[in-house]
Amino acid sequence: MMRPMSGDGRTLILSDTHLAEPGRGAGSAAALRPLWAGFDRVVFNGDTAETRSPRHRDASHRAVDEIGRMTAEDGVALTVVAGNHDPFVSEIDWVELAGGAVLATHGDLLHPAVAPWADESHRLAEAADAALAELGEDRSSADARQLAEAAKRASARHWRREVQGGYERRSAGVW
């Protein structure tokens, strides 16, 4: 889903804050609050929180809710764009700013492998292609909405199938 934004206000774009993921990213939603002072809107452009892990999911959702509460208190409009670490935190996959002159998206939608820097990028690419096939499309004929849906499905499936078991073992000190 795209969300066009208009108006002459100042917009801040933040990405990869990875809230509720220990040892990574911003320590808390409150730590980010000073950043949007003086802005009319803030766009959290993917990987706002770590919603994939069952261990961190509740804290992640609380952190996103806290951002919503704080921006509302501060009179700052909020848009949360989904990313590969939080594929279902929002139905918004990209935003258009400045009358369509600027497109902001997390980036997982732009590459066939979702996260081309990851060791598992080939598996992510296969998962995205499989999701497109489920939608009755292939990469050459899919529109932006279908590519976004395929990236979300690939990220979620990859986490459940390939990563979650190892992540949970490491978190429990078993690894």
Side-chain angles (χ1 to χ4, degrees), residues 1 9 12-13 34 50 55 57 63 65 69 87 92 94 118 123 134 137 174:
M1 173 179 286
L12 172 68
I13 301 174
E50 183 56 63
R55 189 172 179 151
R57 191 170 294 135
D65 290 345
R69 180 188 56 75
I92 299 170
W94 65 84
R123 287 188 218 132
E134 290 170 5
E137 296 295 334
V174 177

Side-chain angles (χ1 to χ4, degrees), residues 20 50-51 53-65:
E50 183 56 63
T51 64
S53 168
R55 189 172 179 151
H56 304 301
R57 191 170 294 135
D58 290 343
S60 294
H61 288 295
R62 283 192 303 274
V64 173
D65 290 345

